[in-house]
């Protein structure tokens, strides 16, 4: 159980709100569990026709909680890792997923958008996938989905250099449907979600299934996940997480891969 993910169903829309604004909505294991449960519920509850994902505060999400990553890298993290269930649920979701993104969308904050069907970004948006800076590898099938969306060169710069993409650029390169002033973001995404609730559910589900090779996406998640888990335990990754905690630049010059 966590208070850091809020859910609400109204007029056919399940709204999932990341609610850990003081930590830029960084995602803990408990939050991944709540997100996975919410997506499960969307598949089973006939009252839910569309899922809308948003974040409180000035950031959509700063991605995985780096203290959790650090605990995993030291082997002190106990219990089921809900992130995999969340990612698999994203991959196989049949309901339309709509996202409203303001400020930072780091790591999974950006890669989850590749599984959303409509994405609205604020003019404050900053999409980042700095996996290599953290000595990690891309996840959520983004190693295939991101280059397919924006081309190899830009995807590589995002993964390997951590190059950020602002809201206007995200819309122009096909990572988002539109960029709007931050004050208008929630209303814009909500109105798109409302429009989808008026469309026939069966036709929406088939259209989405035709557009997404779910088995291939899921298999790529498994390949990435195996390497990701190994990478978490490397000296490189421990240095990256220690550097974030100590608010300094990492020094990879002396650590082994
Ligand atoms: N995990 C855990 N805590 C995080 C976090 C994360 N991913 N991102 C931010 N926080 C925490 C900070 O530690 C800080 O906590 P504190 O107030 O107790 O010190 C708080 O959230 C605010 O973050 P801060 O860095 O001061 O905000 P900022 O506006 O200067 O920068 C970010 C925002 C998102 C650019 C920056 O926090 C960041 O780079 N975070 C790490 C992102 C990341 O690498 N995620 C993993 C991707 S795989």
């Amino acid at each position: 159980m966590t208070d850091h993910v809020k859910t609400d169903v109204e007029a056919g829309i399940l709204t999932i709100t990341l609610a850990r604004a003081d930590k830029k909505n960084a995602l803990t294991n408990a939050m991944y569990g709540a997100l996975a449960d919410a997506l499960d519920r969307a598949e089973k509850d006939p009252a839910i026709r569309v899922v809308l994902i948003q974040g409180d505060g000035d950031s959509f999400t700063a991605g995985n909680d780096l203290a959790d990553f650090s605990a995993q890298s030291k082997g002190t993290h106990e219990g089921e890792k809900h992130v995999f269930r969340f990612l698999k649920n994203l991959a196989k979701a049949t309901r339309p997923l709509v996202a409203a993104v303001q400020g930072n969308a780091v790591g999974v904050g950006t890669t989850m958008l590749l599984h959303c069907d409509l994405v609205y970004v604020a003019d404050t948006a900053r999409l980042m996938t700095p996996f290599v800076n953290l000595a990690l590898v891309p996840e959520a099938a983004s190693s295939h989905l991101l280059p397919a969306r924006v081309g190899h060169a830009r995807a590589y710069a995002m993964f390997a250099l951590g190059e950020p993409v602002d809201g206007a650029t995200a819309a122009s390169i096909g990572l988002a449907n539109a960029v709007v002033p931050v004050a208008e973001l929630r209303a814009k995404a909500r109105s798109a979600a409302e429009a989808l609730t008026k469309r026939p559910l069966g036709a929406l589900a088939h259209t989405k299934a035709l557009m997404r090779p779910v088995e291939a996406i899921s298999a790529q998640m498994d390949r990435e996940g195996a390497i990701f888990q190994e990478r978490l335990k490397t000296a490189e990754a421990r240095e990256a997480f220690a550097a974030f905690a100590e608010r300094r630049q990492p020094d990879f010059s002396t650590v082994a891969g």
Side-chain angles (χ1 to χ4, degrees), residues 64-78:
N64 203 105
D65 189 291
L66 288 174
D68 270 16
F69 269 169
S70 183
Q72 288 174 42
S73 77
K74 293 172 190 150
T76 54
H77 190 283
E78 302 286 333

Side-chain angles (χ1 to χ4, degrees), residues 8 12-16 35 38-43 48-54 90 93-100 116-118 189 193 196-197 208:
D8 166 72
I13 302 171
L14 167 65
T15 303
I16 304 176
L35 289 168
L39 291 177
D40 272 339
R41 180 180 167 197
E43 294 298 315
I48 298 171
R49 301 175 74 87
V50 178
V51 178
L52 171 61
I53 306 174
Q54 61 189 19
L90 272 183
T94 64
R95 298 288 194 270
L97 306 180
V98 180
C116 292
D117 302 293
L118 294 174
L196 287 173
T197 65
K208 179 161 170 155

Side-chain angles (χ1 to χ4, degrees), residues 26-252:
L27 296 168
T28 59
N29 193 41
M31 290 169 75
Y32 283 123
L35 289 168
D37 291 347
L39 291 177
D40 272 339
R41 180 180 167 197
E43 294 298 315
K44 290 177 193 141
D45 185 344
I48 298 171
R49 301 175 74 87
V50 178
V51 178
L52 171 61
I53 306 174
Q54 61 189 19
D56 280 346
D58 65 10
S59 287
F60 178 60
T61 167
N64 203 105
D65 189 291
L66 288 174
D68 270 16
F69 269 169
S70 183
Q72 288 174 42
S73 77
K74 293 172 190 150
T76 54
H77 190 283
E78 302 286 333
E80 184 191 350
K81 293 196 188 96
H82 296 295
V83 62
F84 297 115
R85 201 160 57 87
F86 169 59
L87 295 180
K88 287 296 173 96
N89 281 356
L90 272 183
K92 62 184 193 215
T94 64
R95 298 288 194 270
L97 306 180
V98 180
V101 180
Q102 81 285 14
N104 297 296
V106 190
V108 71
T110 288
T111 60
M112 77 167 85
L113 304 179
L114 300 166
H115 299 270
C116 292
D117 302 293
L118 294 174
V119 176
Y120 298 95
V121 293
D123 46 8
T124 61
R126 203 171 139 82
L127 277 51
M128 275 182 286
T129 52
F131 295 111
V132 170
N133 289 344
L134 292 167
L136 300 172
V137 292
E139 36 68 318
S142 62
S143 56
H144 279 181
L145 296 176
L146 189 61
R149 189 77 67 88
V150 303
H152 179 94
R154 191 183 286 267
Y156 189 82
M158 289 177 71
F159 288 142
L161 300 178
E163 207 168 87
V165 170
D166 64 27
T169 307
S172 74
I173 64 176
L175 279 173
N177 292 79
V179 57
V180 295
V182 68
E184 294 166 24
L185 178 69
R186 284 204 175 174
K188 177 81 180 174
R190 177 101 202 158
S191 117
E194 280 166 7
L196 287 173
T197 65
K198 310 279 194 296
R199 301 299 193 273
L201 204 55
L204 282 174
H206 279 296
T207 299
K208 179 161 170 155
L210 287 165
M211 290 173 73
R212 289 171 53 81
V214 173
E215 280 176 22
I217 289 171
S218 184
Q220 188 64 6
M221 283 180 176
D222 290 340
R223 276 194 286 277
E224 293 168 345
I227 301 171
F228 198 101
Q229 289 307 305
E230 281 171 19
R231 297 291 320 156
L232 274 176
K233 299 193 182 81
T234 60
E236 287 180 347
R238 282 196 295 277
E239 165 60 9
F241 306 145
F244 179 76
E246 293 160 20
R247 292 192 173 262
R248 62 171 171 80
Q249 289 299 311
D251 176 6
F252 297 118

